[in-house]
Amino acid sequence: MDVFLENNISKSVYIHIPFCMSICSYCDFCKLLYNKKLVISYLRQLEKEIDSKYKGEKINTIYIGGGTPSSLDLDEINYLFKIISKFSLDNNYEETIECNFDSINSDKLKLFKKYGVNRLSFGMESTNKNILNILDREESKEEIENKIRLCKRIGFNNINVDLMYAINGEDLNMLKNDLDFLIDLDINHISTYSLIIENNTKLAINNFKYIDQELDSDMYYFIDMYLRDNGFNHYEISNYSKDGFESKHNLIYWRNKEYYGFGLGASGYINNIRYSNTRSFNKYIDGLYEYESEYVSFDDLIEYEVILNLRLRCGIEKKAFKEKFGKDISYFFKYDDLIKDGLLCENGGFIYIPLEKWYIMNSILVKIMEGRINYGRDF
Ligand code: SF4
């Protein structure tokens, strides 16, 4: 099989809705303040982009991210899903929409349900008032609890909540309170992120300082221990789920599979091309969607495969790797020393980074790439 051509395999779709009701102090995502006139022009252009690129393949996951897709009003949501109905879905598809607690209500949730959304992903980040002040976010615990109950009443059981940690001023006890809150709410997927202060964000402009690195590491391993003790699988470096509630869409990324990216600032990977759309609203509205693209060579593909697969607890499946690339992984990488040093494990046909080394994953990936051998497609 030619690994370059996955055209007949069902694909995934990412759709970016950039509008937000307010802007968070740490946000580096592609976003803009909600404005009804802009939303209408944006959705029209999104429809044109999809019409110009989508080739009619079966779609197994759709992820509507942002921005805050739930900031759209009911008419705009109806239009968005009219556009989405152009995709031909697999029977057991997953369709996620990102929401904020303050912009979701019973009418919007019922509409999502009617259009076949089966997974919700909420940005919560923290429940501590001082931390929320730093992040320029406002949701109260009471509001979050009420909205999660509402989602469940309307029939959404597959729910992710994003949690941010390692914010200067936070301690382990505050982090534990956030985790207890989510555990008590019976949330079945939690994505965790240590705060990164990106350039040109309000936090960077205000010279906000990072937390001590040792505390950052302690928090990472505390979350790991606490959530695993409470029935979650730590299945990816930043992600935890109850059995059967892993994010099918994000697994597509980590398994190095192809996906469409539509919308402002969206990224995609189709027919061996990785591309990013423009972040300029005006260019996007003028139909100049794409900003840059890169052809993924056979060598690049192998490196992406290793780097992305190793983010997963199960790591690289050796048999699948050989089927995809025609040779054993040891043909391309020399990794014996990493195993001797305890930085990699090989077991049951899988190669993976042991959990206790996940905090230093990036440095391990650099070492693996240093052991790259046999470049070039010589077979
Ligand atoms: S809601 Fe999300 S996308 Fe919007 S400003 Fe906040 S972090 Fe950024």
Side-chain angles (χ1 to χ4, degrees):
M1 184 184 81
D2 190 327
V3 296
F4 282 113
L5 295 175
E6 291 192 296
N7 292 345
N8 296 324
I9 299 171
S10 60
K11 292 201 166 56
S12 290
V13 168
Y14 174 81
I15 294 172
H16 194 75
I17 302 296
F19 303 99
C20 293
M21 296 317 249
S22 60
I23 303 298
C24 308
S25 61
Y26 57 92
C27 182
D28 184 42
F29 301 127
C30 182
K31 82 287 172 182
L32 55 156
L33 273 178
Y34 177 90
N35 170 315
K36 196 160 179 54
K37 279 192 191 141
L38 297 185
V39 174
I40 294 301
S41 346
Y42 182 75
L43 291 177
R44 284 196 193 117
Q45 202 52 245
L46 179 70
E47 183 170 22
K48 284 188 190 160
E49 189 199 1
I50 292 173
D51 286 344
S52 69
K53 292 185 180 165
Y54 173 54
K55 298 283 182 288
E57 307 94 324
K58 281 276 178 199
I59 298 298
N60 54 16
T61 70
I62 296 182
Y63 193 101
I64 309 161
T68 312
S70 60
S71 65
L72 302 191
D73 68 22
L74 294 178
D75 288 342
E76 293 155 356
I77 291 172
N78 271 310
Y79 185 20
L80 173 66
F81 282 97
K82 185 188 132 250
I83 300 170
I84 290 175
S85 69
K86 294 170 188 250
F87 295 111
S88 163
L89 292 178
D90 268 347
N91 289 338
N92 59 349
Y93 72 91
E94 176 190 272
E95 185 168 349
T96 305
I97 188 162
E98 282 184 353
C99 306
N100 265 357
F101 291 108
D102 57 5
S103 61
I104 204 70
N105 59 39
S106 163
D107 290 341
K108 292 186 186 180
L109 287 167
K110 283 179 184 158
L111 215 45
F112 296 161
K113 191 83 192 153
K114 174 181 146 195
Y115 284 115
V117 171
N118 51 22
R119 186 171 184 270
L120 302 174
S121 180
F122 283 96
M124 177 188 86
E125 316 314 344
S126 175
T127 60
N128 182 283
K129 281 198 173 144
N130 294 332
I131 297 294
L132 287 171
N133 268 338
I134 293 170
L135 302 179
D136 284 341
R137 296 183 65 99
E138 277 185 352
E139 302 91 343
S140 68
K141 280 173 107 166
E142 196 188 2
E143 179 177 23
I144 297 170
E145 246 180 284
N146 288 339
K147 294 288 171 71
I148 291 288
R149 289 215 179 92
L150 177 66
C151 294
K152 291 188 176 185
R153 272 204 306 279
I154 290 177
F156 291 103
N157 290 314
N158 193 351
I159 298 175
N160 168 65
V161 173
D162 289 344
L163 176 72
M164 189 175 277
Y165 68 95
I167 299 142
N168 207 337
E170 186 182 16
D171 60 25
L172 279 168
N173 199 37
M174 288 150 81
L175 176 60
K176 180 177 175 298
N177 286 339
D178 284 349
L179 295 173
D180 282 334
F181 179 68
L182 293 178
I183 292 163
D184 291 346
L185 279 176
D186 198 18
I187 296 297
N188 42 35
H189 193 287
I190 303 176
S191 296
T192 63
Y193 303 95
S194 160
L195 172 69
I196 295 177
I197 302 170
E198 304 280 3
N199 288 340
N200 301 320
T201 58
K202 184 174 166 192
L203 286 186
I205 291 161
N206 290 345
N207 209 13
F208 192 75
K209 297 283 180 255
Y210 275 109
I211 208 164
D212 176 73
Q213 171 106 37
E214 207 176 314
L215 185 51
D216 185 290
S217 161
D218 288 349
M219 286 182 166
Y220 181 80
Y221 286 116
F222 178 75
I223 296 171
D224 166 63
M225 184 262 310
Y226 204 69
L227 288 183
R228 285 195 296 128
D229 280 354
N230 281 281
F232 285 85
N233 303 318
H234 191 172
Y235 74 102
E236 193 268 348
I237 181 165
S238 305
N239 285 279
Y240 297 81
S241 80
K242 297 277 178 66
D243 279 346
F245 288 97
E246 297 83 5
S247 161
K248 285 189 196 173
H249 182 84
N250 287 342
L251 281 167
I252 295 289
Y253 301 146
W254 303 319
R255 294 201 168 121
N256 198 19
K257 306 273 189 205
E258 296 201 335
Y259 56 95
Y260 286 103
F262 297 114
L264 193 68
S267 301
Y269 174 34
I270 290 288
N271 298 333
N272 290 309
I273 309 271
R274 285 191 181 270
Y275 64 89
S276 304
N277 277 0
T278 179
R279 288 174 72 121
S280 155
F281 191 80
N282 290 340
K283 282 193 177 153
Y284 188 80
I285 291 300
D286 285 345
L288 303 170
Y289 311 124
E290 208 161 297
Y291 172 67
E292 58 186 11
S293 61
E294 171 210 10
Y295 177 73
V296 180
S297 68
F298 184 73
D299 288 326
D300 294 340
L301 187 67
I302 289 176
E303 292 183 3
Y304 275 121
E305 184 88 5
V306 168
I307 290 169
L308 293 169
N309 282 192
L310 284 176
R311 293 178 63 99
L312 293 167
R313 179 90 182 264
C314 62
I316 301 162
E317 187 185 4
K318 289 182 72 183
K319 186 166 165 278
F321 184 97
K322 191 171 180 182
E323 276 167 18
K324 189 166 179 182
F325 297 105
K327 299 256 185 195
D328 196 86
I329 185 167
S330 58
Y331 178 84
F332 300 104
F333 292 91
K334 196 172 164 327
Y335 56 87
D336 297 357
D337 286 349
L338 294 175
I339 290 187
K340 268 189 226 131
D341 294 343
L343 299 176
L344 269 189
C345 294
E346 188 163 359
N347 201 350
F350 287 84
I351 298 171
Y352 54 91
I353 297 175
L355 236 174
E356 64 277 12
K357 302 285 184 205
W358 275 16
Y359 190 75
I360 56 162
M361 179 176 283
N362 285 343
S363 65
I364 298 174
L365 293 174
V366 169
K367 285 182 200 295
I368 292 169
M369 290 305 134
E370 286 168 359
R372 180 81 163 86
I373 46 178
N374 287 325
Y375 283 89
R377 195 176 193 191
D378 58 353
F379 48 88

